[in-house]
Amino acid sequence: MVLRALFLNCTLKKSPQVSNTRALVDKAVIIFKELGIESEVIRVVDYNIPFGISSDEGNGDEWPFILEKIKACNILVIATPIWFGVLSSVAKMVIERLDGTYMEGDPETGQYPLYRKVAGVIVTGNEDGAHDVCSTILFNLTHLGCTVPPNADCYWVGDAGPGPSYIEAGGERHLYTNRTVRYMAHNLAYFAKLLKENPIPTNLKKLDEEAKRVSD
């Protein structure tokens, strides 16, 4: 069984600038490789992606290219730095653009394209905000159809105030982060395999019809 993981690195830095978030993503990529899972990392800011809530905003929009990779993966991990205590504007834009998938339901079941994906989140940054960022992203992804396993997040944050980020601060040696990146990777791998072998059977179209009948 071939399983594919897609990481969307939502750093604000364009390539080839060094991304602390990418450094933590790379740890998960190594673990996935050990588990036989293929990984691809996309730095979202390197693409021309306008703001919007559709799957294609036209005029050179490159989001459809990324969206096809999302639809083809089994594991979707959104990785983001913390800015002013919250997720990056790029990560927020990714969630907003995924809103367009609500309109792409399966003809028979009505399930959204992300119904067949498992989701995780990786966060880096200074001070606080990791819990809020993880909860926001994972909550939004469940509404879009993703399955979220236990311990599906991994983060590293530095001391209060300005200071060194993940790489400079030696975050690669942080016990809690090294533990949770392993929890996340193994649980995502397990549930991706489980979901591929046992797709969620819920028929949203039939449930919509039932809801309409009882609401009339």
Side-chain angles (χ1 to χ4, degrees):
M1 178 184 295
V2 177
L3 295 176
R4 297 180 175 85
L6 178 66
F7 294 83
L8 298 183
N9 182 2
C10 297
T11 176
L12 302 183
K13 301 172 183 175
K14 289 190 175 184
S15 298
Q17 295 182 73
V18 175
S19 165
N20 285 277
T21 303
R22 174 60 190 261
L24 185 50
V25 165
D26 285 343
K27 285 205 166 189
V29 169
I30 291 171
I31 298 170
F32 276 147
K33 185 176 181 180
E34 294 170 352
L35 296 172
I37 295 175
E38 300 175 0
S39 295
E40 181 176 2
V41 183
I42 291 179
R43 190 179 295 207
V44 178
V45 76
D46 286 344
Y47 294 83
N48 176 38
I49 303 176
F51 291 101
I53 56 171
S54 74
S55 292
D56 189 346
E57 291 291 319
N59 298 317
D61 181 11
E62 293 182 300
W63 175 250
F65 168 78
I66 296 177
L67 183 58
E68 285 306 307
K69 290 184 177 291
I70 293 172
K71 291 177 179 179
C73 77
N74 306 99
I75 300 170
L76 175 63
V77 179
I78 293 183
T80 177
I82 298 172
W83 287 105
F84 289 101
V86 297
L87 70 168
S88 75
S89 57
V90 178
K92 178 64 175 175
M93 179 182 63
V94 165
I95 297 295
E96 291 168 347
R97 292 304 305 269
L98 283 171
D99 187 78
T101 60
Y102 279 128
M103 307 304 295
E104 301 177 39
D106 179 84
E108 293 184 7
T109 66
Q111 291 183 0
Y112 319 130
L114 271 63
Y115 245 79
R116 293 168 288 280
K117 321 296 177 190
V118 295
V121 59
I122 289 176
V123 178
T124 62
N126 284 359
E127 299 187 279
D128 198 6
H131 284 186
D132 177 70
V133 171
C134 291
S135 61
T136 297
I137 291 175
L138 292 176
F139 175 80
N140 288 331
L141 290 177
T142 63
H143 269 255
L144 289 161
C146 287
T147 296
V148 177
N151 301 116
D153 66 276
C154 170
Y155 65 86
W156 178 91
V157 291
D159 295 331
S165 295
Y166 178 79
I167 297 173
E168 185 183 353
E172 75 280 358
R173 298 188 302 274
H174 195 275
L175 175 60
Y176 181 78
T177 304
N178 287 334
R179 179 189 300 147
T180 55
V181 71
R182 285 163 172 76
Y183 291 174
M184 181 196 72
H186 280 262
N187 285 341
L188 289 175
Y190 174 78
F191 273 83
K193 182 175 184 293
L194 192 68
L195 196 58
K196 188 168 185 177
E197 293 176 340
N198 304 275
I200 297 172
T202 307
N203 190 309
L204 301 184
K205 295 184 73 173
K206 287 185 178 180
L207 296 180
D208 284 345
E209 294 169 1
E210 291 179 11
K212 290 176 182 177
R213 286 199 298 271
V214 299
S215 299
D216 289 340

